[in-house]
Amino acid sequence: MARVLKHSLLKVLFLSALPAVLLAQSETGQISGTITDPSGAVIASAKVTVKNAATGAVRTASTNDSGTYTLTNLQPADYRVSVESAGFATAVKTVNV
C-alpha cells in the first residue's frame, strides 16, 4: 500500500495522532503527533497534510526539531493524514476529530 520513495521505507508512527478531546463549548479540535522512523529517531521537517474527507479542505504543517506537529482549529470530521519526508515512504492514516 505504501509507495517506497528513494532508498528506505519510513514506517511513520502516528504517536499521539489521535484527535484531541474537545473541550466544553469548543466546536473545533486538533490533530497532533510525533513522527519517527522505525528505529525511533524523530523526523524533523516532515510535511504533514490533513484533508477533511467531507469538504476537501486541506491544511499542512511541518514537524519541528523534536519531530512533533500540531494542527489546530479543525472542524469535527474524518481527516486523511499523510506524512512525507525525503527518502521515505509516504504514510497515510484516517482519524476522526
Side-chain angles (χ1 to χ4, degrees):
M1 179 167 174
R3 295 168 286 177
V4 178
L5 300 176
K6 296 185 182 178
H7 306 288
S8 61
L9 175 67
L10 171 67
K11 292 185 179 180
V12 175
L13 300 176
F14 287 93
L15 301 177
S16 305
L18 301 175
V21 175
L22 297 177
L23 301 174
Q25 299 182 5
S26 176
E27 295 181 12
T28 62
Q30 71 178 26
I31 298 173
S32 60
T34 301
I35 307 303
T36 61
D37 69 11
S39 72
V42 298
I43 306 295
S45 301
K47 180 181 178 184
V48 180
T49 303
V50 298
K51 182 176 182 180
N52 183 311
T55 68
V58 173
R59 298 264 309 277
T60 60
S62 293
T63 57
N64 63 18
D65 290 340
S66 300
T68 62
Y69 69 93
T70 301
L71 289 148
T72 60
N73 297 320
L74 298 172
Q75 296 299 312
D78 288 329
Y79 287 84
R80 180 181 181 267
V81 181
S82 62
V83 180
E84 302 173 59
S85 185
F88 296 102
T90 299
V92 179
K93 184 174 184 175
T94 300
V95 298
N96 181 269
V97 173

